[in-house]
Amino acid sequence: MKVLIPSALQSYTGQAWVEAQGDTVGAVLDDLDRQYAGIRFRMIDEQDRMRANMRFFVGGAATFDLAQPLRPTDTLHIVQALSGG
Amino acid sequence: MASNKNKPAHRVVVLVATRKGAWLFHGDAQRKSWRADGPHFLGHIVSHVVLDPRDGRTLLAAAKTGHLGPTVFRSTNFGRSWKEAARPPAFAKAAEGQVGRAVDHTFWLTPAHASQPGVWYAGTSPQGLFRSADGGVSWEPFSPINEDPQYREWMGTVQDGTPDGPKLHSIIVDPRDPAHLLFAMSGGGVHESVDGGRSFKPLVKGMEVVGGFDPSTITFHDPHCVRLCPSRPDRLYQQNHCGIYRLDQPSDEWVRIGKKMPKRVGDIGFPMVVHPRDADTAWVFPMDGTSVWPRTSPQGKPAAYVTRNAGKTWQRQDTGLPPDQAWWTVKRQAMSADAHDPLGLYFGTTSGELWGSRNEGARWACIARHLPEIYAVEVAELQ
């Protein structure tokens, strides 16, 4: 599926849109980390919690659950939420 | 005191970590003019940049951003290129049903003993101790303290910490013995191991705490910076939330040497610097720790203070510094010394100025200004 990478993480991917595979949000992030080593830990901490200000959207709806199922036709948007004015 | 005058001059590079990136300032042979190399990691919050003295070319940088999680960058060519650690410092995954801790940022980096090439230690916020055995590529929790119930109690909570989180800092390796280790916690005292980190015990006797609290409670001890004297490793100096101290082992009792500081300046501050060849000489950079803790230069008049007699007396060193209306201060890891003779001193300010002295603090000159807030200043010496 297509994944939108925020600008702060494009140093890993080299581009805004990348392809990754997985049937859950967590599995897609694992696949991203296989392709771009280190990228997952910048978004997800060692307790498998989404880091503050990192937001994930599937089909335009926010998700806070790494176990959320995904379909191959879904698009995952990863966004840095604003943390200030 | 041994002289360094006949040794070949090493070029000094000042490693500056800031709230918005890192810079390397390359000095000329006289340490008079400086070439800025940077920014590296522009926009990253860089807490510490340290050279591996065992190979003279590997740099580690502890970094994060406002949004992204923490990492460690590594360069094996003195900053020409960087590669991220494969496994940055991270706490162990908590058992099901328990709330585990997550590293917010790596705060402190220390190369291990000269006999242990590639081994590094790291201190984090929240307070944790980590070790790498492969030059900073992968990191693992080190020693039992990260999960030890007693240590977790002493570490307190985030509310006990400094404004941007409690920090494990001042990781010290005895140059005589790789198994003799020390570290300090911004909330939680000074701790010592004589078995290579398999166990630690508090080293707080003689240290004062905020009035009304019990000094026997380890968590009330707030060391700001601890340094070991390379020329006399039994001697430690400490800048603490409650004064300046010296410890001469095998004694286990700190002596408050800051009481000899001028009363109107006080003995509160963050950094502590020791002379590499003279254990009686050390520097502090006092700040205003009164009332609401402004954390500025006392009266807006910044100065270093030096002792040449292990804390019996202190002399003010402010020549070249702004005479007044300078409301900055120097953070705990933002002051350092080279090993030249005469020794050079360097500090970075919360207002983004880098200052240096080529004559042991007798006169100061501004090396750079308009940098972001400076978090750390380390000195690298290159052949």
Side-chain angles (χ1 to χ4, degrees), chain B residues 119-204:
Chain B
V119 178
W120 287 75
Y121 299 107
T124 61
S125 175
Q127 294 167 138
L129 184 59
F130 296 84
R131 183 177 188 267
S132 170
D134 57 9
V137 176
S138 59
W139 296 83
E140 298 292 339
F142 176 64
S143 101
I145 70 153
N146 292 358
E147 308 302 332
D148 179 81
Q150 179 65 83
Y151 266 87
R152 290 292 301 278
E153 181 187 326
W154 290 338
M155 289 173 186
T157 68
V158 169
Q159 286 181 305
D160 300 316
T162 56
D164 59 346
K167 299 169 193 317
L168 192 148
H169 60 86
S170 300
I171 304 168
I172 293 170
V173 181
D174 188 330
R176 303 165 300 187
D177 178 5
H180 183 207
L181 306 171
L182 299 113
F183 69 82
M185 296 193 286
S186 61
V190 180
H191 300 267
E192 180 180 38
S193 173
V194 293
D195 58 11
R198 286 193 291 277
S199 64
F200 282 88
K201 64 179 183 180
L203 187 63
V204 300

Side-chain angles (χ1 to χ4, degrees), chain A residues 8-9 12 38 41-42 45-49 51-54 80-81 83, chain B residues 44 67-71 84 89-94 99-103:
Chain A
L9 289 170
Y12 289 84
F41 190 63
R42 308 302 298 275
D45 74 22
E46 57 265 56
Q47 308 303 334
D48 286 335
R49 296 180 296 233
R51 296 192 184 278
N53 306 118
M54 295 303 300
Q80 286 191 135
S83 54
Chain B
H44 275 73
H67 294 78
L68 304 180
T71 193
E84 187 177 346
F91 290 110
K93 182 82 184 292
V99 178
R101 294 192 296 164
V103 172

Side-chain angles (χ1 to χ4, degrees), chain B residues 47-58:
Chain B
S47 293
H48 213 182
V49 181
V50 179
L51 173 72
D52 188 339
R54 296 161 298 189
D55 69 10
R57 60 187 172 87
T58 298

